Amino acid sequence: MAFGEFDLIDNYFTHRWPQRDDVVLGVGDDGAVLALPQGAELVVATDTMVSGVHFDEQTPARAIAHKVAAVNLSDLAAMGAEPAWLSLALTLPEADQDWLNGFSHGLKEICDYYGCQLIGGDTTKGPLTVTVTAHGFVPAGTALRRDGAKPGDWLFVSGCIGDAGLALAVQQQRTTISDAHYRRVLERLYFPSPRVALGQNLREIASSAIDISDGLVADLKHILKASNVGARVDVDELPLSLAMTESVAADAAIDYALSSGDDYELCFTVPESRRGVFDTVLAHHPAKPICIGRITNEANTLTLLRNDEPWFSQREREGYDHFS
Ligand SMILES: [Mg+2]
């Protein structure tokens, strides 16, 4: 059910936005018409964010827009896809001009940065809910998947993890940290950077990949299950930010890195035979992925080690099981 006052949304979401040559027909008709490159396969991802579930009232509209686009682009990155088009479904309680300004600004920024065009959408009155569908492409047969990891492959993460979870813990008053560090980790919670360029560079190098949305352990588990393998992770190798290491004790930092989500780094595996090519590609790449362990042949078994001794998270020490 679209309604009158939302006609103005057209103005917010089309004027001076990126235009791509492969959009034959964009916003304004019943459907978009899009031209796929020769020999490409289409990769499609959708994510919804609901007020009160995925973000709270204090979250700026600009951050909501950035994040809902970023989580979709992160899924495309995990598939090795080059992003191209976004569509938007927006449910709003009211047509608040300030909110719409902030939201459209945030969405335009990320579209500009990644060269994506908004190709359509829908607006409805109701409780605040934002859904984005991202479309991208890969050369046929080269998409990164979760099911290709093999025993002996090296396991990597693309950057520091745990920061968004630390920001959330501060927001929910479960811990306190300095204002300077809070600003840094809040930036990671509100404005995650999907590893779009790295994902494309990993095509034909990585044997499997996933983006870290729910926490390293939870998401790595998806690779282990799909590939029918296990993994050994050295928790001392987990990349941690300065904001993290200066704010919490060493064990707590490892717990954040293992268990909290929302950082949108990539977790991926590289076969020994591709390690040389991988190191060469990375030498010219701004991202600095860190090797955190290796894939094993013990199906669905994740072993956490510290100084070669088994390591258990706080939750496990309290009786929770990561695999329950
Ligand atoms: Mg994902």
Side-chain angles (χ1 to χ4, degrees):
M1 178 197 70
F3 53 98
E5 60 186 322
F6 281 92
D7 288 347
L8 57 90
I9 286 177
D10 265 355
N11 302 329
Y12 286 96
F13 293 106
T14 53
H15 190 53
R16 290 203 198 142
W17 282 52
Q19 303 290 317
R20 292 173 59 99
D21 293 341
D22 51 14
V23 178
V24 181
L25 201 53
V27 174
D29 212 306
D30 293 308
V33 181
L34 308 162
L36 261 183
Q38 283 277 335
E41 286 172 346
L42 185 65
V43 180
V44 182
T46 297
D47 267 289
T48 288
M49 286 174 42
V50 180
S51 178
V53 179
H54 301 95
F55 56 89
D56 61 18
E57 278 171 14
Q58 57 182 312
T59 311
R62 180 171 155 252
I64 296 168
H66 177 98
K67 189 153 183 176
V68 71
V71 301
N72 278 284
L73 295 176
S74 178
D75 280 332
L76 293 191
M79 304 302 292
E82 178 186 342
W85 314 303
L86 298 181
S87 52
L88 167 72
L90 188 56
T91 304
L92 291 176
E94 59 188 339
D96 180 322
Q97 303 269 343
D98 285 344
W99 194 93
L100 278 164
N101 265 321
F103 185 87
S104 61
H105 183 62
L107 197 62
K108 181 176 182 296
E109 274 175 336
I110 192 165
C111 282
D112 278 337
Y113 188 83
Y114 291 100
C116 293
Q117 182 170 341
L118 189 73
I119 51 150
D122 187 28
T123 53
T124 310
K125 184 164 180 159
L128 180 56
T129 303
V130 187
T131 301
V132 163
T133 300
H135 308 72
F137 28 79
V138 291
T142 66
L144 297 170
R145 303 158 53 128
R146 298 177 179 183
D147 61 2
K150 296 276 187 306
D153 290 356
W154 299 97
L155 182 63
F156 286 84
V157 289
S158 60
C160 293
I161 46 178
D163 287 351
L166 178 58
L168 199 62
V170 175
Q171 229 174 32
Q172 296 174 346
Q173 300 178 336
R174 285 182 276 124
T175 189
T176 52
I177 64 177
S178 77
D179 285 350
H181 287 329
Y182 181 53
R183 276 196 298 277
R184 285 194 194 94
V185 294
L186 191 62
E187 186 77 6
R188 297 214 59 199
L189 177 65
Y190 279 172
F191 298 98
S193 302
R195 303 303 178 198
V196 166
L198 178 65
Q200 291 169 66
N201 280 306
L202 291 175
R203 291 193 304 240
E204 297 174 9
I205 292 177
S207 51
S208 70
I210 193 168
D211 67 320
I212 304 176
S213 53
D214 298 331
L216 176 66
V217 166
D219 288 311
L220 175 55
K221 192 172 75 171
H222 293 308
I223 287 184
L224 302 187
K225 188 159 185 245
S227 301
N228 200 32
V229 293
R232 210 164 26 79
V233 170
D234 182 347
V235 299
D236 278 326
E237 299 300 328
L238 296 172
L240 304 171
S241 70
L242 198 64
M244 176 68 79
T245 55
E246 288 189 348
S247 298
V248 302
D251 281 9
I254 292 170
D255 277 338
Y256 279 114
L258 289 172
S259 305
S260 65
D262 270 348
D263 290 302
Y264 298 97
E265 296 292 344
L266 298 180
C267 172
F268 57 94
T269 56
V270 176
E272 174 68 22
S273 64
R274 305 300 286 159
R275 189 75 192 259
V277 180
F278 177 59
D279 289 343
T280 307
V281 167
L282 282 192
H284 304 283
H285 202 283
K288 290 284 167 264
I290 302 293
C291 184
I292 58 166
R294 216 156 178 186
I295 297 296
T296 70
N297 59 11
E298 299 170 279
N300 276 306
T301 306
L302 176 59
T303 308
L304 303 174
L305 296 170
R306 189 174 201 184
N307 300 322
D308 288 328
E309 297 288 325
W311 192 85
F312 299 97
S313 71
Q314 178 71 36
R315 283 169 63 82
E316 285 174 307
R317 292 189 294 272
E318 287 169 358
Y320 292 93
D321 177 358
H322 275 311
F323 282 92
S324 65

